[in-house]
């Protein structure tokens, strides 16, 4: 995009990924400012309230590099309490004061929800933005909800013939009433990965090897959700690929995550001293192309729009490639894979966010009039 627009960057939120979102938002806000756009930063508190970040905090954004140095280099949820409501012009949103007069601070042409995890990446905030009839970056309600829910995601991938690892799922009530926990994972070989169905950034995930306590891992997952997914572990390489686009999305270069301890946990993702990511991944050309092709197919399987990062497990010994999951609002920190794989594809961080804003406008423009608020007959 070339024309300057006023972009609301939503960040923070009630989820356990609050700090990750704040770090991602700094990079996005800097890149948008570098591209000449007017940035309005709106922090979401842990209880769901909105705060308008003061202009003074944003004044120096262009002096940044386009991405925070680490997770502790981030925007902060601060400022006066505000609300989002429909703007005076159709297709805009107003940032208004929470007082009797309700003075409007800014009108937004588009919203960039840099929110990770529940309430931000699962269709909730997307529903709010749809009701305001304002363009927004990223996947819509359906794709966000399916992408966030690992159980629903696996069902969508399986329905499209996309390879996934063996897995089972169960809810908290089933777990509390089963007489033998091992009955719930019959047929799966250890190691197992026990995950909350709706959480990201490896939060609440445990690796369960032979002799490990399955019950403790399930209880850990249940702290974050009422549904648990248990997957059979794969001894292989962790690959990641970015998808960018609308009706005809394209895939990026493929990256690889190389970590100690067997898997890429929260600590290594955001607080590790060494960069574990290798971009592009050293792979046979056939594997690289298969990864990119499966990434686009997986994106289509959940009806994605805008962006996603698709994570894979690759067994070199057998040549098997499995889609592990999709992340519909991947991290944008300096430690994040999504900007790195696109940079390796010749698309800069700034160009990525600029394209995403253009895609937000494109999707909004294509919405049938009958599904827009205030247009029903």
């Amino acid at each position: 995009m070339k024309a300057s627009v006023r972009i609301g960057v939503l960040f923070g939120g009630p989820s356990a990924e609050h700090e990750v979102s704040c770090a991602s938002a700094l990079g996005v806000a800097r890149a948008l400012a570098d591209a000449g756009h007017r940035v309005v930063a709106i922090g979401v508190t842990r209880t769901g309230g909105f705060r308008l970040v003061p202009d003074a905090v944003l004044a120096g954004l262009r002096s940044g590099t386009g991405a925070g140095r680490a997770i502790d280099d981030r925007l902060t949820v601060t400022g006066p309490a505000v609300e989002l409501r429909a703007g005076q012009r159709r297709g805009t949103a107003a940032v208004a004061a929470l007082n009797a007069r309700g003075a409007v601070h800014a009108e937004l042409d588009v919203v960039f929800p840099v929110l990770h995890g529940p309430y931000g990446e699962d269709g909730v905030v997307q529903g709010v933005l749809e009701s305001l009839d304002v363009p927004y970056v990223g996947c819509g309600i359906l794709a966000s909800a399916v992408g966030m829910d690992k159980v629903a995601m696996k069902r969508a991938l399986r329905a499209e013939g996309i390879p996934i690892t063996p897995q089972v799922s169960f809810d908290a009530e089933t777990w509390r009433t089963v007489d033998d926990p091992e009955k719930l994972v019959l047929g799966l070989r250890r190691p197992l990965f026990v995950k909350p169905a709706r959480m990201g950034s490896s939060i609440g995930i445990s690796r369960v090897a032979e002799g490990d306590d399955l019950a403790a891992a399930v209880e850990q997952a249940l702290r974050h959700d009422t549904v648990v997914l248990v997957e059979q572990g794969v001894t292989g390489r962790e690959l990641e690929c970015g998808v960018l686009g609308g009706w005809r999305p394209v895939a990026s270069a493929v990256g690889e995550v190389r970590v100690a301890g067997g898997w890429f946990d929260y600590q290594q993702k955001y607080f590790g001293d060494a960069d574990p990511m290798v971009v592009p991944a050293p792979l046979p050309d056939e594997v690289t192309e298969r990864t990119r092709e499966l990434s686009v197919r997986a994106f289509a399987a959940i009806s994605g729009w805008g962006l996603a990062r698709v994570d894979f497990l690759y067994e070199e010994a057998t040549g098997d490639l499995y889609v592990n999951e999709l992340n519909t609002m991947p991290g944008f920190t300096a430690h994040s894979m999504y900007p790195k794989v696109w940079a390796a594809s010749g698309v800069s961080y700034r160009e990525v966010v600029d394209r995403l804003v253009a895609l937000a406008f494109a999707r909004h423009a294509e919405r049938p009039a009958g599904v827009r608020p205030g247009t029903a007959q």
Side-chain angles (χ1 to χ4, degrees):
M1 289 182 60
K2 293 183 179 180
S4 174
V5 296
R6 182 165 288 178
I7 301 173
V9 175
L10 276 177
F11 69 97
S15 88
E17 298 179 78
H18 182 99
E19 287 84 2
V20 182
S21 172
C22 292
S24 289
L26 177 62
V28 169
R30 280 177 172 167
L32 291 170
D34 286 344
H37 300 302
R38 292 166 290 171
V39 176
V40 178
I42 304 151
V44 184
T45 69
R46 294 182 185 276
T47 56
F50 289 172
R51 298 288 184 270
L52 178 62
V53 177
D55 287 340
V57 175
L58 303 178
L61 284 178
R62 289 199 186 189
S63 63
T65 61
R69 293 186 302 274
I71 194 172
D72 56 358
D73 186 8
R74 58 184 185 259
L75 288 179
T76 302
V77 177
T78 186
V82 294
E83 65 176 349
L84 284 180
R85 63 190 190 205
Q88 290 187 339
R89 293 181 293 115
R90 182 174 290 278
T92 66
V95 182
L98 275 180
N99 56 40
R101 297 175 61 186
V104 174
H105 293 288
E107 279 210 351
L108 309 176
D109 299 304
V110 61
V111 175
F112 200 133
V114 193
L115 292 159
H116 305 308
Y119 303 99
E121 199 178 346
D122 57 359
V124 172
V125 77
Q126 288 77 15
V128 171
L129 298 173
E130 291 277 357
S131 72
L132 297 177
D133 191 28
V134 63
Y136 61 92
V137 167
C139 289
I141 298 171
L142 174 64
S144 297
V146 174
M148 189 71 215
D149 189 317
K150 295 178 177 65
V151 175
M153 181 200 308
K154 300 288 183 178
R155 289 170 180 163
L157 296 175
R158 186 187 297 113
E160 295 297 323
I162 296 170
I164 59 174
T165 56
Q167 46 83 33
V168 297
S169 60
F170 48 85
D171 57 32
E173 180 63 19
T174 300
W175 172 251
R176 303 292 182 214
T177 56
V178 71
D179 59 343
D180 180 5
E182 293 296 329
K183 289 181 179 179
L184 296 177
V185 296
L186 284 177
L188 298 184
R189 299 190 307 272
R190 282 172 167 75
L192 305 174
F193 284 89
V194 180
K195 309 176 179 182
R198 292 160 291 196
M199 185 55 66
S201 293
S202 301
I203 293 171
I205 297 179
S206 302
R207 182 179 185 273
V208 180
E210 293 293 343
D212 289 344
D213 188 351
L214 174 63
V218 173
E219 293 295 340
Q220 170 68 14
L222 288 173
R223 292 190 183 98
H224 300 280
D225 200 357
T226 57
V227 177
V228 174
L229 177 71
V230 183
E231 296 178 306
Q232 182 172 294
V234 171
T235 303
R237 298 163 63 180
E238 295 187 39
L239 308 178
E240 298 186 355
C241 184
V243 180
L244 177 64
W247 298 118
R248 297 292 182 268
V250 294
S252 70
V254 178
E256 180 174 5
V257 180
R258 295 179 178 177
V259 296
W263 64 289
F264 199 25
D265 61 11
Y266 183 87
Q267 186 68 25
Q268 293 188 72
K269 279 185 178 180
Y270 300 110
F271 296 99
D273 294 328
D275 186 349
M277 300 178 186
V278 179
V279 183
L283 295 165
D285 290 345
E286 181 274 331
V287 176
T288 296
E289 289 310 306
R290 187 153 42 109
T291 302
R292 298 178 71 244
E293 182 262 336
L294 282 172
S295 295
V296 173
R297 284 180 57 196
F299 191 65
I302 67 165
S303 300
W305 184 276
L307 77 163
R309 191 195 69 233
V310 187
D311 300 346
F312 292 83
L313 297 170
Y314 170 50
E315 282 190 304
E316 282 189 288
T318 62
D320 290 329
L321 188 64
Y322 303 98
V323 173
N324 190 31
E325 63 180 63
L326 289 89
N327 189 317
T328 57
M329 185 50 69
F332 275 91
T333 74
H335 285 269
S336 300
M337 181 68 90
Y338 191 82
K340 291 184 177 183
V341 290
W342 280 112
S345 306
V347 184
S348 70
Y349 190 110
R350 189 175 79 177
E351 187 177 355
V352 167
V353 298
D354 211 35
R355 286 192 192 180
L356 288 171
V357 172
L359 284 163
F361 282 117
R363 177 179 55 191
H364 187 266
E366 291 182 359
R367 289 176 67 191
V371 300
R372 294 187 177 187
T375 61
Q377 299 299 316

